[in-house]
Amino acid sequence: DINRKFVFFDSNEKKWGKDYHGYKILSPKQITHAQTRRVIISSIAYQDEIYDELIKKDIKGVCVLKLYETELEKQLGVFIP
């Protein structure tokens, strides 16, 4: 039995504090306080923007992962999920 803590972050403040499949939706500003080790980006439309923003923040101990390969990554063969 593996216990994992799931938290959803969304930049849409209307969603903050609401439940999504039984898990709270928080502001992205709360990532540093959520005691999470991984952030998995699930937005294909804004994946690169979100990724760049999170990498700039340099949040210690948090691994940021992309779900979707971009066209450039496909061409270069450099996608690492």
Side-chain angles (χ1 to χ4, degrees):
D1 183 40
I2 298 174
N3 292 320
R4 297 191 189 263
K5 178 182 174 186
F6 290 95
V7 181
F8 290 90
F9 299 98
D10 198 297
S11 58
N12 182 343
E13 63 184 76
K14 292 178 183 176
K15 296 179 181 179
W16 299 345
K18 295 186 178 176
D19 283 352
Y20 181 73
H21 294 283
Y23 300 100
K24 287 286 183 205
I25 301 172
L26 304 175
S27 162
K29 292 179 183 177
Q30 293 179 285
I31 289 174
T32 57
H33 306 293
Q35 298 177 347
T36 186
R37 293 182 304 203
R38 287 179 198 85
V39 172
I40 301 170
I41 303 168
S42 63
S43 170
I44 193 167
Y46 298 103
Q47 173 179 258
D48 291 333
E49 180 182 327
I50 294 167
Y51 181 84
D52 292 344
E53 186 176 324
L54 291 172
I55 294 301
K56 281 184 208 172
K57 290 183 182 206
D58 192 31
I59 304 166
K60 301 295 182 213
V62 175
C63 178
V64 180
L65 304 168
K66 295 179 181 181
L67 281 181
Y68 308 101
E69 184 176 31
T70 66
E71 284 302 315
L72 180 59
E73 290 166 337
K74 283 180 189 176
Q75 292 171 2
L76 297 175
V78 296
F79 179 70
I80 302 172

